[in-house]
C-alpha cells in the first residue's frame, strides 16, 4: 500500500450495495492518501491514530476486511496504552505519539505537588483522547463488519489487491525448477512405498510428473494462455492404476479436541480429532503450542490452523515476505466475480495476528504480515485445499494439478490424514497433462 497504483486496477472487495456513491473521481486522491498513511505507519507503527486514519481510507476504498484489520490494531494499541496508564504507582507515561514511554512527573518524591497535578491532568487528558479514539475505531470496525445475525462477521469478495508487487503475483522459473526437483525427490524417496502398493518397481529414471508453463497451450482462449498457467504433465508413459505420487504435507489443521487432554471432542461442537495432541508436531515445545487456536475457533479450527501453519513456516524459514515462501508462492487463488464470502473478525484477523505474535512477529512494525497478506493467503488456501470431516490440508505437489470433468488420476487420503496418494485412473501417455476430478 506504500506505492501508487492505477485507479484502473482498483477492485473493491466489498459487495456492491444499492445507492452506493460513485467514487471513481475520488480514487486518485484516496490512493495517494492510502500511500501516505501507509508510510506514516512505517515511520511510527505504534501510533493508533495512523492505523485509524488508514482504516477510514480503506473503508472509503471499500476494503472492509482491511479496514476492520487496521481498526483492530488501533483498538489494541489504545487498549494497551490505557492499561499502562491505569497501573497503580506507574512512573511512566505515554509520549506524545503514543508510541513510546517516558518518565512521568511525580516519580521523584521531592517533586512539587503542583508538578504532580500538572502531570496528572495531562495523563487524564491523554487517557480521554485514547478512550475516544478507541471508541471511534470500534465504531468504524463495526461499520465494516456488521452482517446479520453476527455483527463480528463481514462480507467480502476475494480480489487481487492492486498494490501487490509483481514478484508475488506469478510463479518464477526458479520456483518451477524447485517443484520439479520435489517431484523427482518424492519419486526416489517413496519408491519402496509405491512398489509395495502396486507390486511393481517403477522406472529408475525420470519421475512420473513434471510441471510446465502454458498448461493449455500458448494462444489458447478464455485467458488460459498465460505463462503463469501451470500444469502437471506425465514425464513418461504411465499404465492404468499406477501410483505416481505420495504427497505428504506439513500445512494442515484439525478440529479437536484442544489442550484438554481428557476432552472427548471439540469444546465448540466440532467432531474432534482422534489424536489428543493434534495439531502439534512432535518437535514442537510448549511455547509453540497451537491447541489454544482450536479451543478458540471451534468447528472452524481446521481452516484457521491451516493458515497459521503457513505463516509459521514463513517465520521459521526466515523468508523476507510470506508470499515469497515456496509453499505459498506456488498457490494461486480463483477470484470468482460474484461469489461473496463471510469473514470473521476473530478467526480471520485476531487469531492469526495473535499467532504471529506468539512466534515473534511485531504485527504493527512488520508490513510483510499486514492484513491484506492474511486475506491473500486465505484466498490461495481456499483454491488449493482439500478436507475430510476432521482435517483440512494443502498438499504441496497435488495442489498444482489442474481439474477436469474427465480426469486421468485419482487420489486417496492416507491414514495420517495429511498425506495424499495419487494414481493413474487410465493409461496416460508421456507428455499428456494429468488432471484430477473437478
Amino acid at each position: 500500500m506504500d506505492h501508487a497504483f492505477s485507479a484502473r486496477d482498483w477492485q473493491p472487495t466489498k459487495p456492491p450495495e444499492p445507492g452506493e456513491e460513485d467514487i471513481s473521481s475520488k480514487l486518485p486522491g484516496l490512493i495517494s492518501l492510502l500511500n501516505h498513511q501507509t508510510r506514516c505507519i512505517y515511520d511510527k507503527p505504534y501510533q493508533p491514530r495512523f492505523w485509524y486514519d488508514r482504516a477510514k481510507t480503506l473503508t472509503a476504498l471499500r476494503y472492509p476486511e482491511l479496514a476492520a484489520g487496521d481498526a483492530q490494531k488501533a483498538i489494541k494499541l489504545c487498549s494497551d496504552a490505557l492499561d499502562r496508564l491505569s497501573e497503580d504507582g506507574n512512573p511512566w507515561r505515554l509520549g506524545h505519539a503514543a508510541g513510546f514511554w517516558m518518565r512521568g512527573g511525580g516519580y521523584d518524591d521531592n517533586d512539587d505537588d503542583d508538578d504532580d497535578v500538572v502531570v496528572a491532568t495531562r495523563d487524564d487528558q491523554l487517557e480521554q483522547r485514547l478512550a475516544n479514539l478507541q471508541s471511534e475505531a470500534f465504531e468504524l470496525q463495526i461499520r465494516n463488519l456488521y452482517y446479520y445475525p453476527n455483527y463480528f462477521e463481514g462480507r467480502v469478495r476475494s480480489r487481487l489487491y492492486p498494490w501487490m508487487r509483481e514478484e508475488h503475483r506469478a510463479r518464477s522459473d526458479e520456483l518451477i525448477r524447485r517443484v520439479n526437483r520435489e517431484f523427482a525427490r518424492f519419486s526416489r524417496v517413496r519408491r519402496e512405498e509405491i512398489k509395495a502398493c502396486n507390486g511393481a518397481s517403477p522406472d529408475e529414471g525420470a519421475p512420473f510428473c513434471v510441471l510446465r508453463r502454458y498448461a493449455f497451450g500458448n494462444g489458447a482462449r478464455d485467458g488460459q494462455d498465460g505463462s503463469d498457467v501451470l500444469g502437471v504433465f506425465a514425464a513418461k508413459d504411465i499404465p492404468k492404476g499406477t501410483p505416481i505420487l505420495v504427497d505428504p504435507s506439513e500445512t494442515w489443521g484439525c478440529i479437536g479436541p484442544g489442550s484438554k487432554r481428557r476432552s472427548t471432542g471439540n469444546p465448540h461442537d466440532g467432531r474432534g480429532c482422534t489424536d489428543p495432541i493434534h495439531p502439534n508436531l512432535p518437535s514442537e515445545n510448549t511455547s509453540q503450542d497451537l491447541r489454544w487456536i482450536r479451543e478458540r475457533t471451534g468447528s472452524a479450527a481446521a481452516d484457521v490452523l491451516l493458515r497459521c501453519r503457513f505463516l509459521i513456516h514463513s517465520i521459521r524459514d526466515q523468508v523476507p515476505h510470506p508470499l515469497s515462501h515456496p509453499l505459498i508462492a506456488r498457490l494461486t487463488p480463483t477470484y470468482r466475480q460474484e461469489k461473496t464470502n463471510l469473514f470473521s473478525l476473530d478467526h480471520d484477523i485476531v487469531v492469526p495476528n495473535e499467532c504471529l505474535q506468539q512466534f515473534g512477529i511485531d504485527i504493527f512494525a512488520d508490513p510483510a504480515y499486514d492484513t491484506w497478506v492474511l486475506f491473500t493467503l486465505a484466498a490461495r488456501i481456499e483454491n488449493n485445499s482439500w478436507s475430510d470431516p476432521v482435517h483440512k490440508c494443502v498438499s504441496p505437489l497435488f495442489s498444482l494439478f489442474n481439474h477436469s470433468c474427465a480426469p486421468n488420476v485419482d487420489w486417496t487420503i492416507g491414514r495420517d490424514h495429511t498425506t495424499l496418494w495419487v494414481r493413474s485412473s487410465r493409461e496416460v501417455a508421456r507428455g499428456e497433462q494429468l488432471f484430477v476430478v473437478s
Side-chain angles (χ1 to χ4, degrees), residues 136-153:
E136 292 171 7
F138 181 74
E139 291 178 5
L140 181 63
Q141 187 179 67
I142 294 303
R143 281 176 51 196
N144 284 280
L145 286 173
Y146 180 73
Y147 181 75
Y148 183 83
N150 186 348
Y151 65 82
F152 286 114
E153 290 182 343

PDB file of all heavy atoms in Angstrom, residues 136-153:
ATOM      1  N   GLU A 136     -14.003   5.360  18.644  1.00  0.00           N
ATOM      2  CA  GLU A 136     -14.187   5.669  17.225  1.00  0.00           C
ATOM      3  C   GLU A 136     -13.721   4.508  16.347  1.00  0.00           C
ATOM      4  O   GLU A 136     -14.359   4.175  15.336  1.00  0.00           O
ATOM      5  CB  GLU A 136     -13.422   6.942  16.872  1.00  0.00           C
ATOM      6  CG  GLU A 136     -13.995   8.201  17.508  1.00  0.00           C
ATOM      7  CD  GLU A 136     -13.081   9.400  17.316  1.00  0.00           C
ATOM      8  OE1 GLU A 136     -12.075   9.262  16.575  1.00  0.00           O
ATOM      9  OE2 GLU A 136     -13.348  10.461  17.901  1.00  0.00           O
ATOM     10  N   ALA A 137     -12.597   3.894  16.732  1.00  0.00           N
ATOM     11  CA  ALA A 137     -12.087   2.760  15.956  1.00  0.00           C
ATOM     12  C   ALA A 137     -13.050   1.578  16.021  1.00  0.00           C
ATOM     13  O   ALA A 137     -13.259   0.878  15.022  1.00  0.00           O
ATOM     14  CB  ALA A 137     -10.708   2.355  16.470  1.00  0.00           C
ATOM     15  N   PHE A 138     -13.649   1.360  17.184  1.00  0.00           N
ATOM     16  CA  PHE A 138     -14.601   0.260  17.319  1.00  0.00           C
ATOM     17  C   PHE A 138     -15.838   0.513  16.454  1.00  0.00           C
ATOM     18  O   PHE A 138     -16.337  -0.401  15.777  1.00  0.00           O
ATOM     19  CB  PHE A 138     -15.002   0.090  18.780  1.00  0.00           C
ATOM     20  CG  PHE A 138     -15.971  -1.030  19.016  1.00  0.00           C
ATOM     21  CD1 PHE A 138     -15.563  -2.352  18.965  1.00  0.00           C
ATOM     22  CD2 PHE A 138     -17.313  -0.769  19.266  1.00  0.00           C
ATOM     23  CE1 PHE A 138     -16.460  -3.394  19.168  1.00  0.00           C
ATOM     24  CE2 PHE A 138     -18.217  -1.796  19.471  1.00  0.00           C
ATOM     25  CZ  PHE A 138     -17.786  -3.117  19.424  1.00  0.00           C
ATOM     26  N   GLU A 139     -16.333   1.740  16.457  1.00  0.00           N
ATOM     27  CA  GLU A 139     -17.499   2.069  15.632  1.00  0.00           C
ATOM     28  C   GLU A 139     -17.184   1.876  14.148  1.00  0.00           C
ATOM     29  O   GLU A 139     -18.013   1.367  13.382  1.00  0.00           O
ATOM     30  CB  GLU A 139     -17.936   3.504  15.904  1.00  0.00           C
ATOM     31  CG  GLU A 139     -18.532   3.719  17.293  1.00  0.00           C
ATOM     32  CD  GLU A 139     -18.900   5.166  17.544  1.00  0.00           C
ATOM     33  OE1 GLU A 139     -18.786   5.984  16.600  1.00  0.00           O
ATOM     34  OE2 GLU A 139     -19.306   5.489  18.671  1.00  0.00           O
ATOM     35  N   LEU A 140     -15.982   2.290  13.735  1.00  0.00           N
ATOM     36  CA  LEU A 140     -15.583   2.113  12.339  1.00  0.00           C
ATOM     37  C   LEU A 140     -15.471   0.632  11.996  1.00  0.00           C
ATOM     38  O   LEU A 140     -15.871   0.196  10.905  1.00  0.00           O
ATOM     39  CB  LEU A 140     -14.251   2.819  12.094  1.00  0.00           C
ATOM     40  CG  LEU A 140     -13.692   2.746  10.670  1.00  0.00           C
ATOM     41  CD1 LEU A 140     -14.632   3.435   9.686  1.00  0.00           C
ATOM     42  CD2 LEU A 140     -12.301   3.368  10.605  1.00  0.00           C
ATOM     43  N   GLN A 141     -14.952  -0.137  12.919  1.00  0.00           N
ATOM     44  CA  GLN A 141     -14.827  -1.576  12.700  1.00  0.00           C
ATOM     45  C   GLN A 141     -16.193  -2.220  12.510  1.00  0.00           C
ATOM     46  O   GLN A 141     -16.391  -3.033  11.589  1.00  0.00           O
ATOM     47  CB  GLN A 141     -14.095  -2.205  13.884  1.00  0.00           C
ATOM     48  CG  GLN A 141     -13.755  -3.670  13.720  1.00  0.00           C
ATOM     49  CD  GLN A 141     -13.001  -4.196  14.925  1.00  0.00           C
ATOM     50  OE1 GLN A 141     -13.556  -4.286  16.013  1.00  0.00           O
ATOM     51  NE2 GLN A 141     -11.737  -4.531  14.731  1.00  0.00           N
ATOM     52  N   ILE A 142     -17.142  -1.864  13.351  1.00  0.00           N
ATOM     53  CA  ILE A 142     -18.488  -2.432  13.251  1.00  0.00           C
ATOM     54  C   ILE A 142     -19.138  -2.062  11.923  1.00  0.00           C
ATOM     55  O   ILE A 142     -19.842  -2.872  11.309  1.00  0.00           O
ATOM     56  CB  ILE A 142     -19.356  -1.963  14.436  1.00  0.00           C
ATOM     57  CG1 ILE A 142     -18.817  -2.536  15.748  1.00  0.00           C
ATOM     58  CG2 ILE A 142     -20.805  -2.384  14.243  1.00  0.00           C
ATOM     59  CD1 ILE A 142     -18.737  -4.040  15.774  1.00  0.00           C
ATOM     60  N   ARG A 143     -18.880  -0.852  11.439  1.00  0.00           N
ATOM     61  CA  ARG A 143     -19.420  -0.446  10.134  1.00  0.00           C
ATOM     62  C   ARG A 143     -18.945  -1.375   9.024  1.00  0.00           C
ATOM     63  O   ARG A 143     -19.673  -1.638   8.062  1.00  0.00           O
ATOM     64  CB  ARG A 143     -18.995   0.985   9.806  1.00  0.00           C
ATOM     65  CG  ARG A 143     -19.792   2.071  10.490  1.00  0.00           C
ATOM     66  CD  ARG A 143     -19.206   3.427  10.155  1.00  0.00           C
ATOM     67  NE  ARG A 143     -19.028   3.612   8.718  1.00  0.00           N
ATOM     68  CZ  ARG A 143     -18.263   4.551   8.178  1.00  0.00           C
ATOM     69  NH1 ARG A 143     -17.578   5.379   8.957  1.00  0.00           N
ATOM     70  NH2 ARG A 143     -18.160   4.661   6.862  1.00  0.00           N
ATOM     71  N   ASN A 144     -17.734  -1.873   9.148  1.00  0.00           N
ATOM     72  CA  ASN A 144     -17.175  -2.747   8.120  1.00  0.00           C
ATOM     73  C   ASN A 144     -17.491  -4.218   8.352  1.00  0.00           C
ATOM     74  O   ASN A 144     -17.286  -5.038   7.457  1.00  0.00           O
ATOM     75  CB  ASN A 144     -15.655  -2.559   8.051  1.00  0.00           C
ATOM     76  CG  ASN A 144     -15.259  -1.275   7.358  1.00  0.00           C
ATOM     77  OD1 ASN A 144     -15.252  -1.189   6.141  1.00  0.00           O
ATOM     78  ND2 ASN A 144     -14.945  -0.242   8.150  1.00  0.00           N
ATOM     79  N   LEU A 145     -17.977  -4.543   9.542  1.00  0.00           N
ATOM     80  CA  LEU A 145     -18.222  -5.940   9.880  1.00  0.00           C
ATOM     81  C   LEU A 145     -19.688  -6.322   9.853  1.00  0.00           C
ATOM     82  O   LEU A 145     -20.028  -7.452   9.533  1.00  0.00           O
ATOM     83  CB  LEU A 145     -17.675  -6.245  11.287  1.00  0.00           C
ATOM     84  CG  LEU A 145     -16.165  -6.366  11.437  1.00  0.00           C
ATOM     85  CD1 LEU A 145     -15.811  -6.486  12.912  1.00  0.00           C
ATOM     86  CD2 LEU A 145     -15.645  -7.572  10.682  1.00  0.00           C
ATOM     87  N   TYR A 146     -20.541  -5.394  10.212  1.00  0.00           N
ATOM     88  CA  TYR A 146     -21.907  -5.772  10.532  1.00  0.00           C
ATOM     89  C   TYR A 146     -22.574  -6.558   9.410  1.00  0.00           C
ATOM     90  O   TYR A 146     -22.707  -6.099   8.283  1.00  0.00           O
ATOM     91  CB  TYR A 146     -22.754  -4.541  10.842  1.00  0.00           C
ATOM     92  CG  TYR A 146     -24.179  -4.905  11.179  1.00  0.00           C
ATOM     93  CD1 TYR A 146     -24.489  -5.500  12.393  1.00  0.00           C
ATOM     94  CD2 TYR A 146     -25.200  -4.697  10.263  1.00  0.00           C
ATOM     95  CE1 TYR A 146     -25.786  -5.857  12.693  1.00  0.00           C
ATOM     96  CE2 TYR A 146     -26.500  -5.053  10.556  1.00  0.00           C
ATOM     97  CZ  TYR A 146     -26.790  -5.631  11.771  1.00  0.00           C
ATOM     98  OH  TYR A 146     -28.072  -5.995  12.062  1.00  0.00           O
ATOM     99  N   TYR A 147     -22.992  -7.754   9.758  1.00  0.00           N
ATOM    100  CA  TYR A 147     -23.754  -8.590   8.833  1.00  0.00           C
ATOM    101  C   TYR A 147     -24.651  -9.496   9.663  1.00  0.00           C
ATOM    102  O   TYR A 147     -24.178 -10.356  10.390  1.00  0.00           O
ATOM    103  CB  TYR A 147     -22.836  -9.432   7.946  1.00  0.00           C
ATOM    104  CG  TYR A 147     -23.592 -10.284   6.951  1.00  0.00           C
ATOM    105  CD1 TYR A 147     -24.159  -9.715   5.825  1.00  0.00           C
ATOM    106  CD2 TYR A 147     -23.756 -11.647   7.153  1.00  0.00           C
ATOM    107  CE1 TYR A 147     -24.867 -10.481   4.918  1.00  0.00           C
ATOM    108  CE2 TYR A 147     -24.462 -12.420   6.258  1.00  0.00           C
ATOM    109  CZ  TYR A 147     -25.010 -11.834   5.142  1.00  0.00           C
ATOM    110  OH  TYR A 147     -25.715 -12.592   4.254  1.00  0.00           O
ATOM    111  N   TYR A 148     -25.932  -9.292   9.568  1.00  0.00           N
ATOM    112  CA  TYR A 148     -26.890 -10.054  10.365  1.00  0.00           C
ATOM    113  C   TYR A 148     -26.715 -11.551  10.106  1.00  0.00           C
ATOM    114  O   TYR A 148     -26.553 -11.960   8.960  1.00  0.00           O
ATOM    115  CB  TYR A 148     -28.313  -9.622   9.997  1.00  0.00           C
ATOM    116  CG  TYR A 148     -29.382 -10.301  10.800  1.00  0.00           C
ATOM    117  CD1 TYR A 148     -29.728  -9.825  12.055  1.00  0.00           C
ATOM    118  CD2 TYR A 148     -30.021 -11.437  10.313  1.00  0.00           C
ATOM    119  CE1 TYR A 148     -30.710 -10.462  12.797  1.00  0.00           C
ATOM    120  CE2 TYR A 148     -30.998 -12.079  11.045  1.00  0.00           C
ATOM    121  CZ  TYR A 148     -31.333 -11.584  12.290  1.00  0.00           C
ATOM    122  OH  TYR A 148     -32.294 -12.215  13.020  1.00  0.00           O
ATOM    123  N   PRO A 149     -26.747 -12.408  11.150  1.00  0.00           N
ATOM    124  CA  PRO A 149     -27.079 -12.116  12.549  1.00  0.00           C
ATOM    125  C   PRO A 149     -25.866 -11.883  13.444  1.00  0.00           C
ATOM    126  O   PRO A 149     -26.017 -11.760  14.646  1.00  0.00           O
ATOM    127  CB  PRO A 149     -27.799 -13.396  12.977  1.00  0.00           C
ATOM    128  CG  PRO A 149     -27.072 -14.466  12.222  1.00  0.00           C
ATOM    129  CD  PRO A 149     -26.687 -13.855  10.900  1.00  0.00           C
ATOM    130  N   ASN A 150     -24.655 -11.874  12.892  1.00  0.00           N
ATOM    131  CA  ASN A 150     -23.458 -11.764  13.723  1.00  0.00           C
ATOM    132  C   ASN A 150     -22.689 -10.522  13.306  1.00  0.00           C
ATOM    133  O   ASN A 150     -22.129 -10.475  12.214  1.00  0.00           O
ATOM    134  CB  ASN A 150     -22.582 -13.014  13.559  1.00  0.00           C
ATOM    135  CG  ASN A 150     -21.403 -13.019  14.505  1.00  0.00           C
ATOM    136  OD1 ASN A 150     -21.092 -12.012  15.136  1.00  0.00           O
ATOM    137  ND2 ASN A 150     -20.730 -14.151  14.597  1.00  0.00           N
ATOM    138  N   TYR A 151     -22.659  -9.498  14.177  1.00  0.00           N
ATOM    139  CA  TYR A 151     -22.005  -8.261  13.764  1.00  0.00           C
ATOM    140  C   TYR A 151     -20.492  -8.319  13.903  1.00  0.00           C
ATOM    141  O   TYR A 151     -19.809  -7.322  13.680  1.00  0.00           O
ATOM    142  CB  TYR A 151     -22.576  -7.049  14.510  1.00  0.00           C
ATOM    143  CG  TYR A 151     -22.344  -6.994  15.999  1.00  0.00           C
ATOM    144  CD1 TYR A 151     -21.140  -6.515  16.507  1.00  0.00           C
ATOM    145  CD2 TYR A 151     -23.330  -7.372  16.891  1.00  0.00           C
ATOM    146  CE1 TYR A 151     -20.926  -6.434  17.865  1.00  0.00           C
ATOM    147  CE2 TYR A 151     -23.129  -7.294  18.253  1.00  0.00           C
ATOM    148  CZ  TYR A 151     -21.927  -6.824  18.734  1.00  0.00           C
ATOM    149  OH  TYR A 151     -21.722  -6.743  20.087  1.00  0.00           O
ATOM    150  N   PHE A 152     -19.938  -9.477  14.244  1.00  0.00           N
ATOM    151  CA  PHE A 152     -18.492  -9.646  14.200  1.00  0.00           C
ATOM    152  C   PHE A 152     -18.065 -10.414  12.954  1.00  0.00           C
ATOM    153  O   PHE A 152     -16.980 -10.960  12.885  1.00  0.00           O
ATOM    154  CB  PHE A 152     -17.981 -10.347  15.465  1.00  0.00           C
ATOM    155  CG  PHE A 152     -17.993  -9.445  16.660  1.00  0.00           C
ATOM    156  CD1 PHE A 152     -18.838  -9.692  17.728  1.00  0.00           C
ATOM    157  CD2 PHE A 152     -17.173  -8.335  16.709  1.00  0.00           C
ATOM    158  CE1 PHE A 152     -18.859  -8.853  18.830  1.00  0.00           C
ATOM    159  CE2 PHE A 152     -17.181  -7.484  17.803  1.00  0.00           C
ATOM    160  CZ  PHE A 152     -18.028  -7.743  18.868  1.00  0.00           C
ATOM    161  N   GLU A 153     -18.952 -10.465  11.976  1.00  0.00           N
ATOM    162  CA  GLU A 153     -18.624 -11.012  10.670  1.00  0.00           C
ATOM    163  C   GLU A 153     -18.903  -9.960   9.607  1.00  0.00           C
ATOM    164  O   GLU A 153     -19.705  -9.049   9.806  1.00  0.00           O
ATOM    165  CB  GLU A 153     -19.443 -12.277  10.373  1.00  0.00           C
ATOM    166  CG  GLU A 153     -19.047 -13.479  11.219  1.00  0.00           C
ATOM    167  CD  GLU A 153     -19.848 -14.715  10.865  1.00  0.00           C
ATOM    168  OE1 GLU A 153     -20.908 -14.561  10.220  1.00  0.00           O
ATOM    169  OE2 GLU A 153     -19.429 -15.823  11.219  1.00  0.00           O
TER     170      GLU A 153
END
